[in-house]
Amino acid sequence: KAGVTQTPRYLIKTRGQQVTLSCSPISGHRSVSWYQQTPGQGLQFLFEYFSETQRNKGNFPGRFSGRQFSNSRSEMNVSTLELGDSALYLCASSPDTSGYGYTFGSGTRLTVV
Amino acid sequence: GQNIDQPTEMTATEGAIVQINCTYQTSGFNGLFWYQQHAGEAPTFLSYNVLDGLEEKGRFSSFLSRSKGYSYLLLKELQMKDSASYLCAASNDYKLSFGAGTTVTVRA
């Protein structure tokens, strides 16, 4: 059974640009969540989607957005990149809302220069 | 809001036992996760406690007390490869709220 797949693994962008990250959940998983991990702030929740609906959103500026497609794949977008957006972006998927089977992907390492 | 507290660092000797405590304060609490994360890698699932009590999985055990807002992860027969960051996370409102992580260093 394939795990959570995130692409790309590494990305370098310039301040002011925008970026789109992709996440393919484990087959059969309908919930997809996104997290940002930085050395200073640790793991911070960005948003969660279930059946194409955003059910919760963390305390991030509107530059951070996401969506989920009918096949449960998800994308997140960051516009007008800032140096502080440099982080490891992690996607996690789970079958439902129970929490069981909550699995992280390998992440996308974004560097903003 | 959520408040998840765990110690910053712990050091132990190979073959020993280490217990990592986690206290949490969160509304709408569903359950408590423990993850292991090696430097530069994604978190890997260790345990998920929903009910009070101890759950054992090989060398790793996790305990939860919902009434006390307390959990611990017990690592037995420590191996060098167990050197990593251990993350405690409370589940609520379709999200996980993480502690800052406990860096465990295993010495020979």
Side-chain angles (χ1 to χ4, degrees):
Chain A
K1 194 175 186 182
V4 180
T5 304
Q6 291 188 246
T7 57
R9 287 297 309 276
Y10 301 93
L11 206 51
I12 300 175
K13 289 286 189 178
T14 305
R15 266 184 305 175
Q17 287 186 312
Q18 74 164 16
V19 66
T20 299
L21 312 181
S22 178
C23 172
S24 293
I26 292 173
S27 178
H29 285 198
R30 297 168 64 189
S31 170
V32 174
S33 302
W34 289 90
Y35 293 82
Q36 180 197 66
Q37 186 174 31
T38 59
Q41 298 296 318
L43 268 154
Q44 301 282 317
F45 171 75
L46 281 157
F47 21 69
E48 189 267 358
Y49 291 90
F50 185 86
S51 294
E52 302 179 69
T53 299
Q54 184 184 87
R55 298 190 298 185
N56 201 352
K57 188 178 190 302
N59 295 324
F60 280 82
R63 300 184 297 105
F64 291 80
S65 63
R67 59 178 175 170
Q68 186 181 35
F69 303 95
S70 58
N71 62 358
S72 294
R73 192 177 70 84
S74 177
E75 289 181 347
M76 67 163 282
N77 183 278
V78 188
S79 62
T80 319
L81 283 166
E82 300 177 0
L83 295 179
D85 297 333
S86 294
L88 179 66
Y89 289 89
L90 292 159
C91 167
S93 75
S94 63
D96 50 36
T97 58
S98 69
Y100 289 100
Y102 204 95
T103 306
F104 282 90
S106 298
T108 293
R109 173 77 61 185
L110 172 66
T111 302
V112 181
V113 297
Chain B
Q2 287 79 37
N3 193 22
I4 319 291
D5 288 319
Q6 54 182 126
T8 304
E9 295 181 348
M10 301 184 76
T11 301
T13 307
E14 201 174 10
I17 298 173
V18 68
Q19 177 175 316
I20 307 171
N21 297 323
C22 171
T23 58
Y24 64 89
Q25 289 179 307
T26 184
S27 56
F29 175 78
N30 291 328
L32 198 292
F33 285 88
W34 284 97
Y35 286 88
Q36 180 193 61
Q37 187 175 30
H38 285 99
E41 299 181 9
T44 55
F45 172 82
L46 291 178
S47 67
Y48 179 46
N49 292 66
V50 175
L51 303 176
D52 285 359
L54 183 68
E55 291 201 7
E56 299 183 79
K57 282 185 184 178
R59 296 189 298 114
F60 293 5
S61 302
S62 57
F63 171 85
L64 176 67
S65 169
R66 297 177 70 107
S67 61
K68 295 182 180 178
Y70 168 71
S71 173
Y72 68 73
L73 179 70
L74 196 68
L75 314 179
K76 293 177 277 190
E77 300 170 18
L78 279 172
Q79 302 175 8
M80 299 300 287
K81 67 178 181 180
D82 297 330
S83 292
S85 178
Y86 291 84
L87 303 164
C88 165
S91 169
N92 73 311
D93 293 335
Y94 312 122
K95 73 179 188 297
L96 300 189
S97 299
F98 283 86
T102 300
T103 300
V104 172
T105 301
V106 181
R107 294 184 174 167

